[in-house]
C-alpha cells in the first residue's frame, strides 16, 4: 500500500513536476479553505520530493517564490498556531487544522502558539536566507506523513489511475505481457 506521501510523489513524477523552477500549471486555484502564503505570481522554486524512508533525503515541502524579504506571509488554512519560534537557526510557524500541520519558514512570527488564525490572515514576515532568491518554504503533514502542499494549492493535477489493460481512451487491451493475472 502506498502512503499518502508516496502517492503524492508518484503524482508529481507522473505529471512532470521536475526539479527546475517553473510557473505552475493552469490549475492554481487553491482548494476551499486554503490560500497561498505569499502574494504574487505562483512560482515553485523547488518542488516536493518525498524521502524514500522517514529519515531519508528529500524535500518535505515546496519552496514558493516571493517578491522579496519582508513581505507578509499568510496562514494557508484556518486553525490554531501549533508552534511559532525558532527551530535550529530558522524562525518557523506551524498552524494545526485537525491532524494537518502546515508550516512556513523562514518567517518572523506575528502570532504566538495557541492563537486562532483564519486562512489568509497575516501570521508573519518573510525573512531572507532559505533560497538564493526570496522564497517561503511550505510543508504539510497529515497524521505525521509529509505530503505535497500543491495538492491543496492547486499546483498538482490529480493523478488518474486506470485499471490494468485499459488505455486512456477506455479500450480494453488485455493484461500487459509481464503481469501475472491470478
Amino acid at each position: 500500500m502506498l502512503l499518502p506521501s508516496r502517492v503524492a510523489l508518484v503524482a508529481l513524477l507522473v505529471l512532470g513536476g521536475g526539479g527546475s523552477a517553473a510557473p505552475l500549471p493552469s490549475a492554481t486555484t487553491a482548494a476551499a479553505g486554503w490560500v497561498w502564503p505569499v502574494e504574487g505570481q505562483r512560482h515553485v522554486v523547488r518542488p516536493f520530493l518525498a524521502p524514500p524512508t522517514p529519515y531519508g533525503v528529500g524535500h518535505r515541502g515546496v519552496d514558493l517564490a516571493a517578491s522579496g524579504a519582508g513581505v507578509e506571509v499568510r496562514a494557508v488554512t484556518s486553525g490554531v498556531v501549533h508552534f511559532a519560534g525558532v527551530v535550529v537557526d530558522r524562525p518557523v510557524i506551524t498552524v494545526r487544522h485537525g491532524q494537518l500541520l502546515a508550516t512556513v519558514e523562514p518567517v518572523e512570527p506575528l502570532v504566538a502558539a495557541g492563537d486562532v488564525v483564519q486562512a489568509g490572515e497575516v501570521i508573519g514576515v518573510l525573512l531572507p536566507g532559505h533560497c538564493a532568491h526570496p522564497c517561503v518554504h511550505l510543508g504539510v503533514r497529515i497524521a505525521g506523513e509529509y505530503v505535497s502542499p500543491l495538492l491543496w494549492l492547486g499546483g498538482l493535477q490529480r493523478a488518474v489511475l486506470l485499471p490494468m489493460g485499459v488505455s486512456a481512451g477506455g479500450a480494453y487491451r488485455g493484461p500487459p505481457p509481464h503481469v501475472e493475472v491470478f
Side-chain angles (χ1 to χ4, degrees):
M1 179 171 111
L2 288 177
L3 298 173
S5 61
R6 303 309 187 263
V7 171
L9 174 61
V10 169
L12 180 63
L13 294 174
V14 168
L15 295 171
S20 64
L24 292 175
S26 60
T28 57
T29 303
W34 279 73
V35 299
W36 286 76
V38 290
E39 297 292 323
Q41 182 180 359
R42 310 301 189 221
H43 190 81
V44 175
V45 176
R46 186 172 175 203
F48 175 81
L49 181 60
T53 63
Y55 299 101
V57 175
H59 189 236
R60 293 164 174 84
V62 292
D63 293 341
L64 304 171
S67 59
V71 300
E72 295 177 332
V73 177
R74 302 176 185 284
V76 294
T77 190
S78 298
V80 176
V81 176
H82 182 73
F83 179 81
V86 176
V87 175
V88 183
D89 63 349
R90 187 168 295 162
V92 173
I93 303 170
T94 300
V95 173
R96 176 181 288 281
H97 182 93
Q99 288 200 9
L100 184 142
L101 294 172
T103 300
V104 288
E105 61 177 90
V107 179
E108 184 67 37
L110 298 177
V111 293
D115 289 352
V116 175
V117 296
Q118 301 301 312
E121 182 178 333
V122 175
I123 59 172
V125 176
L126 182 65
L127 296 177
H130 183 68
C131 302
H133 300 287
C135 80
V136 61
H137 176 86
L138 170 61
V140 173
R141 288 184 290 162
I142 299 177
E145 273 294 316
Y146 284 95
V147 294
S148 176
L150 297 182
L151 293 169
W152 288 271
L153 294 179
L156 270 183
Q157 297 174 0
R158 300 263 178 200
V160 177
L161 301 178
L162 298 173
M164 291 177 48
V166 175
S167 69
Y172 181 74
R173 297 186 327 257
H178 63 282
V179 174
E180 293 182 37
V181 179
F182 296 95

